[in-house]
Amino acid sequence: MNAPEPSRPPRLTSLSHGGGCGCKIAPGVLSEILRSMPSTLPVPPQLMVGIETADDAAVYRLNDEQALIATTDFFMPIVDDPYDFGRIAATNAISDVYAMGGTPILALGIVGMPINVLPLETIGRILEGGQSVCAAAGIPIAGGHTIDSVEPIYGLVVLGLAPPSRIKRNADAKPGDVLLLGKPLGVGVLSAALKKEQLDAQGYRRMIDSTTKLNTPGAELAALEGVHALTDVTGFGLAGHSLEVARGAGCTVRVEWKRVPLIEGVRELAAQGFVTGASGRNWTSYGADVRLPEGFAVEDRALLTDPQTSGGLLVSCSREAAEEVLAVFRRHGFASAALIGEVVAGAAVLEVV
């Protein structure tokens, strides 16, 4: 009598109801939650950036030379390979420090795992993936916290430093600025195809290459005099994070859609219906403040609101600084970085042309 074959561990994505930055609470719902919070908490004068503009991280001024950047990011699996999941989650968390113009200095691990469902080896590979990215960023994982949870969750708390004068908020764009995007869009579309087992090996490789590329240009960009605002494009999509820039500056952000870089093949996948639920929730939350051209394709709107896990830096800078910004991106290996729009005087809306 043959011995029964050992059972295979479940796919990581089968254990999560939403993966990557696509499992963020929708922006409209989040606004309602935050609106109900009391506003009586103390705000020390050293707090340079708090929750007021939905920025990427908190920033606390230590002295005239140093400001401390603090952020946290964690989510459920967006891929089934545990090592890749750990790499993606860590890259995404560290990105918030780069998006403020800082340099990361250390991380703490956030780990929630269904201990009775996943093999310990799988959990270990997730942590190894995160450690490999922190090593590439030159920082230690100096501690953390673990819990036994129903769905697998992994991420980091990340601390960084920057000179106070080089902190870049998402709210400081100026009329006349141009907008540049560091990475192509489409991670959410690829993740939707992967979850339905319809993503080929090339598509998976493109997804991993994008989501594990550290946004290292951030600190160098922040040092450029012509750079006024920085953020990264994550769960709320290009539209949502562009609107944060528009609202912070009290200006219109105008995006020229044909200039926006897309990961190869994602428009075709979106046209076939491989779109995350988060994309629709994003549109419901902020679509009233987005002006689309007549005949704008459904798949293009899906990509405009597509949740990006570990997405690219969005830079608002003077027109004169644009070539230098692109040169920084190129030096760091961001071949798809492109000028995609501008900031103009007007209502705080996103206008797509």
Side-chain angles (χ1 to χ4, degrees):
M1 183 175 181
N2 294 330
E5 292 186 9
S7 59
R8 299 179 63 181
R11 294 176 62 201
L12 283 177
T13 53
S14 73
L15 300 176
S16 60
H17 73 278
C21 287
C23 59
K24 274 188 174 181
I25 295 175
V29 177
L30 182 60
S31 294
E32 285 298 315
I33 294 171
L34 294 177
R35 191 174 294 123
S36 65
M37 291 179 64
S39 57
T40 55
L41 293 173
V43 180
Q46 297 91 341
L47 186 65
M48 297 177 61
V49 182
I51 65 172
E52 57 280 349
T53 60
D55 220 321
D56 299 296
V59 181
Y60 188 93
R61 185 186 186 106
L62 298 175
N63 50 53
D64 291 344
E65 287 76 38
Q66 293 179 312
L68 179 68
I69 302 167
T71 184
T72 184
D73 216 316
F74 53 89
F75 46 61
M76 293 163 283
I78 187 173
V79 295
D80 292 312
D81 183 283
Y83 188 77
D84 284 345
F85 170 41
R87 292 170 67 208
I88 294 167
T91 306
N92 180 72
I94 296 171
S95 180
D96 286 341
V97 170
Y98 293 129
M100 301 304 298
T103 299
I105 56 172
L106 67 83
L108 307 174
I110 299 171
V111 184
M113 295 290 157
I115 296 299
N116 294 326
V117 176
L118 285 179
L120 297 184
E121 180 184 2
T122 297
I123 298 172
R125 287 292 286 167
I126 294 170
L127 302 189
E128 286 175 24
Q131 288 173 339
S132 73
V133 167
C134 288
I139 62 173
I141 297 180
H145 188 63
T146 62
I147 62 168
D148 186 353
S149 64
V150 176
E151 293 181 284
I153 297 168
Y154 179 67
L156 300 173
V157 172
V158 187
L159 301 181
L161 291 173
S165 62
R166 292 187 182 177
I167 293 297
K168 299 299 178 183
R169 305 192 308 160
N170 64 0
D172 295 328
K174 300 179 181 180
D177 278 0
V178 292
L179 289 178
L180 297 97
L181 179 63
K183 290 184 183 182
L185 303 180
V187 171
V189 167
L190 294 176
S191 72
L194 177 67
K195 195 156 189 176
K196 295 178 181 179
E197 300 186 55
Q198 297 299 310
L199 187 65
D200 62 22
Q202 284 185 322
Y204 183 77
R205 178 44 50 199
R206 293 184 189 113
M207 179 180 175
I208 298 303
D209 287 347
S210 179
T211 54
T212 59
K213 190 168 185 58
L214 286 162
N215 279 321
T216 52
E220 192 172 345
L221 292 172
L224 300 180
E225 186 176 347
V227 171
H228 300 139
L230 265 177
T231 189
D232 59 352
V233 178
T234 55
F236 301 154
L238 177 62
H241 294 286
S242 295
L243 275 170
E244 289 175 349
V245 173
R247 290 164 180 164
C251 296
T252 296
V253 166
R254 182 177 294 147
V255 167
E256 191 172 346
W257 183 246
K258 68 181 181 181
R259 289 178 171 265
V260 176
L262 303 176
I263 298 173
E264 185 178 340
V266 294
R267 195 171 188 273
E268 293 76 10
L269 287 171
Q272 294 170 37
F274 294 109
V275 178
T276 69
S279 179
R281 292 192 295 274
N282 281 343
W283 182 255
T284 298
S285 294
Y286 56 61
D289 291 328
V290 179
R291 311 286 183 260
L292 298 179
E294 187 175 351
F296 197 66
V298 173
E299 57 267 31
D300 289 327
R301 197 189 83 176
L303 286 162
L304 184 66
T305 59
D306 190 50
Q308 302 306 289
T309 299
S310 189
L313 294 175
L314 185 63
V315 186
S316 181
C317 69
S318 67
R319 194 171 295 274
E320 295 75 19
E323 285 302 321
E324 195 171 4
V325 168
L326 282 174
V328 171
F329 274 124
R330 299 284 187 266
R331 282 199 297 274
H332 287 257
F334 288 76
S336 297
L339 192 157
I340 65 166
E342 60 184 345
V343 180
V344 298
V349 298
L350 169 63
E351 181 181 290
V352 180
V353 297

